[in-house]
Amino acid sequence: QHPDGQHPDGQAGNGHHGFGRVPRKEDARFIRGRGNYVDDIKLPGMLYGAILRSPHAHARLVSVDTTAAEAHPQVRAVITGETLTGLNLAWMPTLSNDVQAVLATDKVRYQGQEVAFVVAETHYAARDALELIDVDYEALPPVVDARKALDDDAPVIRDDVEGRTDNHIFDWEAGDAEHTDRVFGEAEVVVAQDVLYPRVHPAPLETCGIVADMDKVTGKLTVHTTTQAPHAHRTVYALVAGLPEHKIRVVSPDIGGGFGNKVGIYPGYVCAIVGSIVTGRPVKWIEDRSENLMTTSFARDYHMRGEIAATRDGRIRGLRVKVLADHGAFNGTAQPTKFPAGFFHVFTGSYDIEAAHCAVTGVYTNKAPGGVAYACSFRITEAAYLVERLVDVLAAELGADPAELRMRNLLRAEQFPYSTATGWEYDSGDYPRTLRTALDIAGYDELRAEQAGRRERGEGPLMGIGISFFTEAVGAGPRKHMDILGLGMADGAELRVHPTGKAVLRISVQTQGQGHETTFAQIVAHELGIPVDDVEVVHGDTDQTPFGLGTYGSRSTPVSGAATAVVARKVRERARIVAGAMLEASPEDLEWTPGRWAVRGDPSTGVTMQEIAMAAHGSLELPEGVEGHLDATTVYNPPNLTYPFGAYVAVVDVDPGTGKVTVRRFVAVDDCGVRINPMVVEGQVHGGLADGVGMALMQVMAFDEDGNHLGASFMDYLLPTAVECPSWELGETVTPSPHHPLGAKGVGESATVGSPAAIVNAVVDALRPYGVRHADMPLTPANVWRVVQGRPFRT
Ligand code: CDP
């Protein structure tokens, strides 16, 4: 067998006992079209909901007349803001301690905002009836550009809050301003750059949806929904609707991608629940693509100004950053409570920097609310992108090679654990080794030689080489520092071992395509020495799983993966006691080899996990104080985050005539500590790299000056396909996390975080002959062409 678990013929069977390239269990149903998504659920008597949305970005709601819609023969209910006001449900809390309108009562504050909800016998009838609702709006001037949101004459968006006179949400800072200013004052070189991380959208292939089913006899509400955090949703429904929490069951079936989009609670969910309560029948609401793109949580939208202070020979000493954060009409951004700008203050990145300071200001605009961590840990993508752009700007200023400049400043292995200037403690790493690996795979020196030769010969297309090095901070988080809406960020795990030695693991996190049913079974198999196929993973049903905060920010492996290892070790220790009784030996005298306990020094006496499981359920006399069975539970409160990292190299070709960028090569070397399933990890990295191509080259949520959304379909909001992506070249280094029981770090979002900077750095590098120092994403052909046209040609 291959060291990473692969059989010589490349086919690892699930009879496999632990880590390695085990094929995904869930693929058996997915590739046969047997997945079960929310829209596949059909309950007897089920009705269908549809939402009437505002065509205006900002308007006063004068009247809503639902008479004609109510008269539609197939309509069973029409719910408006007024109906909800009567139930005290017109507003709901956001994840950031703001409130959001469920259905508008006073004003609409972004295009697409929810105004009324129709419940009908069929989906088509519900949609038809929307056209029968007559809404009178009085249009108001919108705030579209975040940079104008704080102007004296800016219209006040949130006049629902008494006494509010502006669009300011928060000011937040981190780091030591004075020390940083001092370092800048003394610096030999300072460069500054305005950098925009545009508004983008997670755009999962499956849109959001719900089937709400209130059983009026039992008083039990069952909610089938596309959520990344079923337990947190249950608690929020209990708090919002005043329903008893033990009478709410949230079931999250198969999910077609989440990427942060399915963390929050959307108005449509609350409306469907109210619809079910009002009609006494189950109500399904599934949003369409435009609704998903226009109204559900966006990501990024950070206007950043970064400055970097360095010595003339390229030693980075300080970083100073100002951010204007566009949060849309309601502050619905998702992150732990204490961090209004998420984990943005990790912006010192992967470098040994003496002083750093950031100040972030959040503002309201007439756009959809959100600010979710789209495939990243709470704003780390913005932070990583900024610092990696700044390092390249510094390299250009100093005339230094970007790889050498990074090598010079990267944290070295002996500096870990490393405390950053903004208060993080990185757990482990050997960054220069990882960058060296990436440069070697890329053949960096040859690439630079090729580029120089082409430039000299004036040979097109323009070739660019871009590097990025990122550090993620995943596995939120230690309870004493992190909560969401007051809920601590720990996760539970329960492990049952049946008499025949087959196991069922119940976890609180929720896969959206990451392969948890396989990889979490591998963790149990690894710890108990039983086949992966003998472990069933149960998740996504609050009635069947222990409490925990769910899957986002790559937290599953760092938190729930750790919980799984811990609970399996508890089971193993119980098995030791039972084995002692079976072998008539003291448990302390037993020795573990994967799958069996045996008397130390005499392996022939051993008993297997399966034999122990049967005995634990049998008539065997166990020592005083020891119960039967092997089952165990745990709750894991992570002592720190885990800090995966990676080095990426992109090679692009740019046609200056059309502005078209082709990603010729992309080398990604990721270090996520110990890999449970290297094949799954590589799949995660592939997906994140494709995300990077999308954001760097194609995607932006754009608005016109009236606040009209310009990207409400996949004709305008582009997803990268195999055509735009090169054949990824992956490498790895392994630096185990010292505090995670398996040495594993999260990886799901690393590539989304790290890749945009490599591509943008490569494009800017290609355009260097034109004197270009920076260009904002997305680098569409039109944008690149404009950049090229705006600069005189210089060689
Ligand atoms: O929270 P999320 O599942 O999105 O992210 P993750 O914890 O990084 O895990 C993504 C997938 O990669 C899961 O199936 C993990 O079990 C797997 N993984 C792994 O095999 N080894 C690692 N060191 C990290 C993740």
Side-chain angles (χ1 to χ4, degrees):
Q1 197 161 322
H2 190 268
D4 70 5
Q6 195 168 21
H7 286 277
D9 62 1
Q11 295 294 311
N14 285 355
H16 191 72
H17 284 58
F19 296 176
R21 294 179 180 273
V22 173
R24 299 193 342 156
K25 291 178 172 208
E26 39 274 86
D27 288 347
R29 65 177 188 277
F30 291 144
I31 60 177
R32 289 172 176 80
R34 298 283 294 276
N36 182 38
Y37 299 89
V38 172
D39 204 17
D40 294 319
I41 294 169
K42 292 183 181 63
L43 301 180
M46 191 170 76
L47 299 170
Y48 297 80
I51 294 178
L52 182 72
R53 295 181 179 278
S54 165
H56 297 278
H58 199 191
R60 199 159 298 289
L61 204 57
V62 180
S63 63
V64 183
D65 183 354
T66 59
T67 328
E70 277 160 26
H72 187 292
Q74 296 210 50
V75 167
R76 297 293 162 259
V78 182
I79 296 162
T80 63
E82 205 177 306
T83 329
L84 295 183
T85 303
L87 300 167
N88 204 17
L89 284 176
W91 294 82
M92 64 178 184
T94 68
L95 292 174
S96 289
N97 292 309
D98 194 358
V99 288
Q100 170 174 1
V102 176
L103 292 176
T105 49
D106 54 340
K107 284 204 314 193
V108 286
R109 294 175 168 85
Y110 57 94
Q111 191 184 45
Q113 189 180 333
E114 298 77 3
V115 174
F117 188 75
V118 170
V119 184
E121 291 289 342
T122 68
H123 179 62
Y124 301 106
R127 285 265 164 156
D128 284 350
L130 294 183
E131 304 204 356
L132 301 174
I133 300 175
D134 194 11
V135 185
D136 193 5
Y137 296 100
E138 180 193 317
L140 298 167
V143 179
V144 182
D145 184 344
R147 290 164 301 183
K148 295 184 180 156
L150 297 179
D151 286 358
D152 288 343
D153 58 351
V156 178
I157 298 168
R158 294 300 303 281
D159 47 1
D160 56 294
V161 182
E162 215 173 291
R164 180 171 274 290
T165 54
D166 60 24
N167 296 313
H168 179 263
I169 308 176
F170 67 84
D171 287 315
W172 186 75
E173 58 182 311
D176 184 337
E178 220 176 284
H179 186 187
T180 308
D181 289 347
R182 213 166 44 242
V183 164
F184 271 82
E186 296 162 358
E188 292 170 12
V189 183
V190 173
V191 288
Q193 184 63 53
D194 286 324
V195 175
L196 170 70
Y197 209 125
R199 180 174 274 238
V200 292
H201 198 279
L205 284 186
E206 180 206 23
T207 60
C208 297
I210 185 170
V211 177
D213 184 12
M214 175 56 123
D215 183 327
K216 285 204 166 166
V217 176
T218 60
K220 179 128 184 173
L221 171 70
T222 304
V223 171
H224 306 264
T225 187
T226 55
T227 170
Q228 295 175 230
H231 290 275
H233 276 209
R234 184 187 65 194
T235 306
V236 174
Y237 288 134
L239 296 174
V240 172
L243 296 166
E245 194 170 359
H246 66 299
K247 293 283 191 185
I248 304 174
R249 176 183 181 194
V250 176
V251 185
S252 187
D254 286 327
I255 295 189
F259 312 109
N261 190 234
K262 293 167 181 170
V263 170
I265 287 184
Y266 294 118
Y269 300 171
V270 179
C271 289
I273 292 170
V274 172
S276 180
I277 294 173
V278 168
T279 61
R281 289 165 64 178
V283 174
K284 176 187 278 187
W285 170 71
I286 307 285
E287 66 185 5
D288 68 20
R289 178 60 54 195
S290 296
E291 291 180 294
N292 181 257
L293 287 170
M294 288 175 73
T295 68
T296 63
S297 290
F298 72 93
R300 329 290 191 231
D301 219 343
Y302 262 31
H303 300 252
M304 305 180 277
R305 179 166 183 78
E307 293 172 278
I308 193 163
T311 59
R312 182 109 334 258
D313 62 354
R315 179 94 194 95
I316 302 172
R317 294 192 56 212
L319 268 175
R320 201 159 50 184
V321 181
K322 273 199 163 43
V323 180
L324 181 66
D326 182 341
H327 282 224
F330 305 105
N331 185 18
T333 184
Q335 73 267 304
T337 309
K338 278 191 210 160
F339 304 95
F343 295 169
F344 181 79
H345 53 306
V346 79
F347 66 90
T348 56
S350 314
Y351 307 104
D352 185 11
I353 296 178
E354 188 184 328
H357 180 258
C358 71
V360 184
T361 297
V363 295
Y364 291 119
T365 60
N366 287 110
K367 299 179 195 163
V372 287
Y374 157 28
C376 80
S377 199
F378 313 113
R379 304 286 189 182
I380 285 184
T381 315
E382 291 90 320
Y385 177 69
L386 177 70
V387 64
E388 288 308 293
R389 274 279 53 240
L390 287 175
V391 170
D392 261 35
V393 170
L394 178 67
E397 174 75 20
L398 297 175
D401 178 274
E404 274 167 32
L405 185 63
R406 283 182 172 79
M407 215 39 121
R408 174 113 227 240
N409 290 283
L410 281 176
L411 292 166
R412 297 180 314 278
E414 65 275 14
Q415 290 178 280
F416 290 90
Y418 176 79
S419 297
T420 75
T422 52
W424 301 87
E425 192 186 291
Y426 293 1
D427 56 352
S428 63
D430 183 348
Y431 293 2
R433 176 171 68 125
T434 305
L435 179 56
R436 176 57 48 213
T437 308
L439 296 175
D440 287 348
I441 296 173
Y444 185 69
D445 294 341
E446 295 81 50
L447 286 171
R448 283 286 176 211
E450 182 193 341
Q451 183 187 44
R454 279 165 172 268
R455 278 187 183 163
E456 214 174 283
R457 295 189 296 274
E459 189 180 304
L462 301 167
M463 175 182 173
I465 305 155
I467 298 172
S468 70
F469 200 105
F470 69 91
T471 300
E472 256 261 72
V474 302
R479 288 172 65 138
K480 63 174 187 283
H481 300 307
M482 292 175 199
D483 70 272
I484 292 186
L485 288 179
L487 301 171
M489 300 190 78
D491 278 81
E494 287 176 19
L495 183 58
R496 296 183 191 167
V497 183
H498 297 325
T500 55
K502 313 288 183 197
V504 177
L505 173 74
R506 292 164 193 275
I507 47 175
S508 50
V509 294
Q510 166 66 27
T511 187
Q512 306 122 46
Q514 298 94 319
H516 292 178
E517 287 162 44
T518 308
T519 53
F520 279 71
Q522 285 183 267
I523 297 174
V524 174
H526 173 80
E527 294 296 333
L528 297 187
I530 62 176
V532 175
D533 261 354
D534 286 1
V535 186
E536 190 74 8
V537 175
V538 177
H539 55 180
D541 181 343
T542 55
D543 272 10
Q544 293 209 50
T545 55
F547 188 87
L549 278 211
T551 292
Y552 40 84
S554 299
R555 64 188 298 282
S556 302
T557 303
V559 188
S560 190
T564 300
V566 168
V567 81
R569 285 172 196 179
K570 280 192 181 180
V571 164
R572 200 168 70 199
E573 282 309 302
R574 281 176 187 227
R576 180 207 280 258
I577 295 167
V578 177
M582 291 168 79
L583 297 169
E584 294 179 357
S586 161
E588 289 79 56
D589 294 337
L590 301 186
E591 186 173 53
W592 174 256
T593 49
R596 54 197 280 137
W597 282 111
V599 176
R600 189 168 291 116
D602 185 5
S604 63
T605 60
V607 281
T608 64
M609 268 311 290
Q610 290 79 1
E611 289 163 342
I612 299 169
M614 187 56 87
H617 290 83
S619 53
L620 181 75
E621 238 5 284
L622 293 173
E624 191 83 22
V626 178
E627 303 156 26
H629 304 183
L630 300 176
D631 307 351
T633 66
T634 197
V635 177
Y636 187 79
N637 175 26
N640 188 6
L641 303 170
T642 66
Y643 293 81
F645 54 92
Y648 292 173
V649 182
V651 183
V652 301
D653 292 314
V654 180
D655 179 340
T658 62
K660 182 171 187 298
V661 176
T662 305
V663 183
R664 191 205 304 177
R665 287 181 65 196
F666 199 107
V667 174
V669 178
D670 273 274
D671 192 323
C672 58
V674 172
R675 295 180 175 209
I676 296 155
N677 187 325
M679 183 186 68
V680 168
V681 169
E682 287 162 15
Q684 296 288 298
V685 173
H686 284 185
L689 297 177
D691 274 345
V693 169
M695 287 182 286
L697 302 181
M698 303 155 77
Q699 297 174 339
V700 62
M701 285 278 148
F703 296 82
D704 70 11
E705 59 191 23
D706 295 323
N708 290 309
H709 198 289
L710 303 178
S713 83
F714 282 160
M715 295 297 285
D716 295 307
Y717 190 78
L718 305 179
L719 294 194
T721 68
V723 175
E724 290 83 19
C725 295
S727 186
W728 312 113
E729 300 168 60
L730 304 190
E732 67 172 290
T733 56
V734 175
T735 317
S737 168
H739 63 80
H740 188 279
L742 301 168
K745 305 181 179 189
V747 76
E749 301 167 327
S750 290
T752 315
V753 171
S755 56
I759 297 170
V760 174
N761 285 346
V763 174
V764 172
D765 183 53
L767 298 178
R768 203 164 305 287
Y770 291 80
V772 176
R773 189 170 94 153
H774 175 72
D776 281 326
M777 298 187 284
L779 295 169
T780 57
N783 280 345
V784 172
W785 188 82
R786 246 176 250 133
V787 170
V788 169
Q789 294 302 310
R791 316 274 168 158
F793 186 83
R794 282 201 263 142
T795 46

